[in-house]
Amino acid sequence: MPANAELTEQVHRIAESARAAALTLATAGSERKNDALRRLADALDREAGRGAEAGRGSAGNAASHGSGNGLRNSGSGGESVLEANGRDLEAARAAGLTAAQVDRLALTPARLQHLAESVRQVAALEDPVGEILQEWTRPNGLRIVKRRVPIGVIGVIFEARPNVTIDCAVLCLKSGNAAILRGGKEIFATNRALAALVAEALRASGLPENAVQLIPTTDRAALEVLLKLNDRVQCLIPRGGESLIRFVTEHSTIPVIKHYNGICFVYCDASADPEMAERIIVNAKLQRTGVCNAAEQLLVHAAAAAALLPRLGAALVRAGAELRCDPASATLLASVYVPCKPAAPEDFRTEFLAPILAVRIVASLEEAVAVINRDGSAHTDAIVTADESAARRFLAAVDSAVVLWNASTRFNDGFEFGFGAEIGISTERLHARGPMGLPELCTYKYEVIGTGQVRT
């Protein structure tokens, strides 16, 4: 349904004020931006501490009941962050969301403390704005400087991940960009509470609070208005399911940085260490199943399958995974009484986001690479092997944003890469690829310094 005039005007005002804030942020300087980040981290710690105190003081869940005396913020109608999150979780369960989906929504004192730490890490990182990327002097004396600058206004459209509100806000702020955030209805109350903390930190640091704004409605019509504001918004980053990303891509007049599915592979080569392979695949699949860098596919070299696959299959099933197997792996697992199901063709190109893993046996490393490049999503893929030559061939040949050797796919994460946080994991080839940190949120411009030269 098209947006009404009032909603359209509201989104236009948000974009206009974001553009004005972006021009201020571009020259704000590192210290003011870092001061805002440190204040935000302190506020998150206070919220975590009050939530933990409430948990000790009652039999209830802190995320459901809040602290009773937590930080109040006008953006969430007087609720603390954990109180707001508790309302969202109750609504999610009532709506029939799975346990994995609810887990993606949940904030706890520990997760708030982790968010606070990620904010401090971003504050401690070098400011990319103003960095000289290249400089040279022409024969006529003109000095040309290629300098890193903010993109401008970045719109982030996301679904059920409350940490995205903070990650995107702090990365955009540190890189000198204004942010317009549009979260999903599943975490609307939580997002309002978190956005209010950001606004408080900006005000206290003397920065425009419109540098980070939340679209104050879940109405799809507001999103449709935002997607057409290419004169005020320079970049869009959708984070969520494939349907959301395709909708944004197909309807936007603004450049979009996107990733589609996280169909991530772990390939166990002929020389894979069994203990290492078990540790990696169980972690990659089951440490958190509802995230884009969780493994969805397991490939095992035929030469190692008889010795390796029964151990891996048994460990995965013990840990709660359901295995969907090709005929060769199903026959092998059945012979040692490891339960599995026959895979349907679509299982081999599916992002399950659940404790389900598709399993295949391949004849060679080259076949593994071909399968990954054909059936994967160019997101995150790993090889487990003691053979350095095989590993190097795999790292070079797999066409994905992040390729790992002897490590879990779960490490494709901005925090784990030392970026402090990430605004997304891009599977694009242009501008940004993989976890997007501060440098990926900048572009560049050329400054040309002369002494009166004119062109002849």
Side-chain angles (χ1 to χ4, degrees), residues 8-64:
T8 298
E9 178 60 27
Q10 184 179 35
V11 176
H12 277 249
R13 285 197 305 269
I14 288 171
E16 288 167 0
S17 62
R19 179 60 179 157
L23 295 173
T24 299
L25 280 182
T27 58
S30 299
E31 187 47 48
R32 289 173 69 195
K33 294 186 290 185
N34 289 338
D35 180 64
L37 295 177
R38 288 189 289 265
R39 290 176 185 273
L40 174 59
D42 290 344
L44 290 167
D45 273 339
R46 287 195 297 272
E47 291 282 324
R50 288 163 178 161
E53 181 181 344
R56 289 191 296 269
S58 70
N61 184 304
S64 296

Side-chain angles (χ1 to χ4, degrees), residues 115-255:
L115 274 177
E117 175 58 26
S118 73
V119 174
R120 292 191 177 95
Q121 285 197 16
V122 172
L125 293 173
E126 185 176 351
D127 191 338
V129 178
E131 177 188 357
I132 294 176
L133 302 174
Q134 192 176 0
E135 60 181 323
W136 64 98
T137 301
R138 297 291 296 146
N140 62 3
L142 286 178
R143 185 162 67 91
I144 302 175
V145 178
K146 184 179 182 181
R147 191 181 298 277
R148 201 187 299 276
V149 297
I151 290 173
V153 178
I154 297 177
V156 186
I157 301 114
F158 57 101
E159 292 177 334
R161 293 291 295 279
N163 64 292
V164 175
T165 303
I166 296 299
D167 290 348
C168 295
V170 301
L171 287 170
C172 287
L173 174 60
K174 181 67 180 261
S175 58
N177 297 288
I180 300 174
L181 309 178
R182 197 275 189 181
K185 65 178 184 292
E186 301 87 355
I187 50 169
F188 186 62
T190 306
N191 283 340
R192 292 185 68 190
L194 290 171
L197 295 185
V198 176
E200 289 177 2
L202 289 167
R203 283 194 300 270
S205 301
L207 293 172
E209 63 180 279
N210 288 335
V212 178
Q213 297 179 80
L214 187 72
I215 298 288
T217 176
T218 59
D219 190 334
R220 174 65 68 92
L223 173 59
E224 293 174 353
V225 174
L226 177 65
L227 297 182
K228 306 301 182 184
L229 298 182
N230 52 286
D231 58 336
R232 279 156 279 188
V233 180
Q234 281 68 53
C235 175
L236 291 177
I237 302 174
R239 292 186 58 171
E242 184 173 2
S243 61
L244 170 69
I245 296 168
R246 292 201 181 279
F247 178 86
V248 170
T249 303
E250 291 168 5
H251 291 84
S252 176
T253 60
I254 304 165

Side-chain angles (χ1 to χ4, degrees), residues 370-415:
V371 166
I372 292 169
N373 286 339
R374 183 191 68 213
D375 295 342
S377 59
H379 194 289
T380 312
D381 302 295
I383 182 173
V384 184
T385 185
D387 182 343
E388 181 174 354
S389 174
R392 296 296 177 191
R393 298 201 319 270
F394 184 91
L395 294 174
V398 170
D399 183 22
S400 294
V402 174
V403 190
L404 304 101
W405 173 19
N406 290 344
S408 170
T409 58
R410 289 284 289 118
F411 283 107
N412 184 2
D413 175 87
F415 189 85

